[in-house]
Amino acid sequence: MHYTLITSLGTGLYQNGGYRNTVYAFENKAQIETNVLLKAIIESKQYDIGKIIIIGTKTSSWDILAEALGDTDFWLLLKDTCSATGIDESLLEKLQHQLTEYYHCPVLLAAHNPVISNETIDELFPVYMDAISHAEETHDILLDITHGFRSMPIFMYQALLFRFSHNENHRIEIIYGEHTSTGTISYIRNLSAYWDISQITEAKNLFFKQLDGKLLAEKLEPWWNTGAKCIRAFSGIVECNFALQIPIIINQIRNSLKTVPAAPRWIGEIQAFLQTFEQTVSDKTLAETLYKYANFLAGKKLFVQAVIALQIAVEVKIITAFDKEESSDIGNYDRWQNYYKNFYDELRGKFEHKEKLNRLYTLRNQIAHGGSTFRLGGVPQAVNTEHIFKSAEKRVVEFFRFVDKMRENAALS
C-alpha cells in the first residue's frame, strides 16, 4: 500500500556551515544519517511513499529541503529569503516542482503565517485542512511529527481527525524521530496507537452523550467481546425505539459485567457507565423501569426516544393493572388497541392532569407517523418535544399512583 507522507518543517539549527545531522534507525534495520527526517524516510524504504505533503511557516528552513537538489544558487536564495522576509509563493512553487522531480512523486508544499497563537488559529487551521485534503484517496497516511514548532504537529493531527476520523479507507500511522546527539542512534518511534486512542475517545464520547455505541463496540470487541455485544445491542434498542427490550439489555449488562478484562484501563469507564445505567433504570416493575429509562434518555437529550418510552411506560402500567406483571399482552399492539386502550381512555378521563397525558399520547403518535397532523395537536414542532416530555413526565408518576389507587379501591375489573 502506498502512503501519503504528511510532515512539517520548522527552523533548523544552522551551525558551522550546516544543519545538525543524526542517524535515524528504522524498524526494517535501515540506518540513515541526515539532517531532516523526510530524507531518511524516503531512503529507508520502510514505507512506500507515493505522495509528500510538507507544511511550514513562511520563515521555516525551506532551504534544508533544497540542499540535495544540486542548485546552489537556488539554495542560497531560499536560505537568505527564509531568514529575512520569508518564502513567497513563486519560490515555494519552484521548490515544490524541483522536489517532485527529485523524489519522483507528487510533492505539495504549504506555507503560512509564522505567528502561531490564539489570534491566528482561524487563519492557520484552514491551511492545514486544505493541505491534508490533498492526501490520495487510495493511500494510507504516514504522519511525521518530528519537525516543526510544537503547535504544528497538533494542527496536522487535528486536521487528520477532522478529515479522516471515520474514513475506513485510510489507515493512519504516526512516527516520531527521537533526535539524539551526533554520533549516536536516533530511533524512529511508532506512535500509531495514539490514533487508536483518539478513535476510542471519540467512540466513548459518542456513546456516553448520545448512546450511539456502534463505533465503541467495534473498538471494544478485541478486548471485551461480551461488552461489545452488549453495547451494540443497547445502541440498537435506543436507535430503533425498542423500549420494551430494556429488561433484556439490563440482564445482558449484568452478565457482561461479570467478565470485564483488567486491561486496558479505558474499559473501566465503559464498565462504570453500564453499571450506572443498570442501577439507575432497574426497578421492581416494568412500567417503572420504562419510566426511569425514559428519563435516562431525556438526560441525554434524546427527547424523541424519551417520549416514546414514556408513553410505553403508561401503556404497560395499564396492561399490568388489568392483567399481571408478566402479561403476554405487553407489546401486542392489536390487543392494546382493541381492549386495553378503552380502559386507558376511561382512566385518563378521570385523571386530574389528563391534558398532559393527552399531549404525550398525541406527540407519540405524531412521531410514529412521521410528523403527521393529529386533531389534538395540530402540526408537530420538534422544538416543543423537550417541553412536552418534561411536562408529561411530572404527571406520569401521579398517574401511576392514581391507577394503583383505583385498583386498590376495586375500581378496576
Side-chain angles (χ1 to χ4, degrees), residues 24-250:
Y24 289 109
F26 291 80
E27 290 180 3
N28 66 356
K29 309 302 181 183
Q31 294 188 6
I32 312 294
E33 183 173 358
T34 181
N35 55 12
V36 61
L37 183 53
L38 168 65
K39 300 174 186 176
I41 292 171
I42 302 295
E43 293 178 21
S44 72
K45 307 298 183 184
Q46 172 78 45
Y47 306 94
D48 185 1
I49 304 300
K51 189 169 190 176
I52 303 170
I53 297 172
I54 307 172
I55 307 172
T57 71
K58 292 180 180 179
T59 55
S60 291
S61 301
W62 295 99
D63 55 293
I64 200 172
L65 301 176
E67 286 181 330
L69 299 178
D71 188 340
T72 303
D73 291 339
F74 180 54
W75 172 74
L76 285 172
L77 177 60
L78 276 175
K79 185 175 179 301
D80 292 341
T81 304
C82 291
S83 60
T85 59
I87 196 168
D88 58 30
E89 286 300 320
S90 62
L91 284 176
L92 195 69
E93 186 175 342
K94 183 176 180 180
L95 177 61
Q96 178 174 284
H97 176 73
Q98 291 194 18
L99 290 173
T100 296
E101 289 189 343
Y102 182 80
Y103 287 117
H104 305 293
C105 71
V107 176
L108 174 73
L109 305 181
H112 59 71
N113 183 346
V115 179
I116 303 174
S117 67
N118 264 349
E119 288 69 31
T120 60
I121 285 178
D122 289 342
E123 171 193 344
L124 302 187
F125 191 59
V127 175
Y128 288 79
M129 290 288 295
D130 182 63
I132 286 176
S133 71
H134 287 85
E136 293 294 329
E137 286 296 325
T138 57
H139 288 185
D140 287 336
I141 291 174
L142 179 64
L143 175 64
D144 164 32
I145 62 171
T146 305
H147 298 291
F149 303 109
R150 287 182 177 88
S151 53
M152 295 171 75
I154 295 175
F155 275 130
M156 293 192 299
Y157 193 82
Q158 290 296 330
L160 281 175
L161 283 174
F162 196 92
R163 289 283 185 185
F164 303 120
S165 184
H166 297 299
N167 190 332
E168 297 179 358
N169 296 327
H170 297 273
R171 182 164 57 96
I172 311 294
E173 291 192 41
I174 305 170
I175 57 172
Y176 173 72
E178 191 178 79
H179 190 279
T180 57
S181 302
T182 303
T184 57
I185 300 298
S186 296
Y187 291 95
I188 303 301
R189 304 299 184 185
N190 190 321
L191 305 178
S192 301
Y194 284 14
W195 182 261
D196 293 332
I197 291 172
S198 292
Q199 296 286 281
I200 290 166
T201 300
E202 189 169 349
K204 185 269 289 184
N205 290 340
L206 191 61
F207 179 59
F208 281 24
K209 291 179 181 179
Q210 301 177 21
L211 304 181
D212 182 349
K214 294 185 285 295
L215 181 60
L216 181 60
E218 178 185 317
K219 299 298 180 183
L220 193 60
E221 198 159 18
W223 304 97
W224 187 23
N225 182 258
T226 58
K229 288 180 179 179
C230 181
I231 287 172
R232 192 175 285 114
F234 184 17
S235 180
I237 287 172
V238 174
E239 183 178 20
C240 297
N241 293 316
F242 291 163
L244 287 173
Q245 295 178 18
I246 283 300
I248 298 173
I249 203 64
I250 288 174

Side-chain angles (χ1 to χ4, degrees), residues 249-302:
I249 203 64
I250 288 174
N251 286 331
Q252 193 172 343
I253 287 172
R254 288 170 179 162
N255 290 330
S256 68
L257 290 175
K258 297 175 183 177
T259 59
V260 183
R265 183 173 176 177
W266 59 267
I267 292 179
E269 289 199 37
I270 315 302
Q271 174 193 6
F273 182 90
L274 293 175
Q275 216 160 30
T276 298
F277 171 79
E278 185 271 330
Q279 293 170 355
T280 300
V281 172
S282 298
D283 211 315
K284 299 185 293 297
T285 68
L286 177 57
E288 289 168 319
T289 295
L290 291 173
Y291 169 79
K292 290 184 174 181
Y293 171 61
N295 276 283
F296 186 85
L297 292 171
K300 302 297 178 183
K301 299 191 180 302
L302 299 174

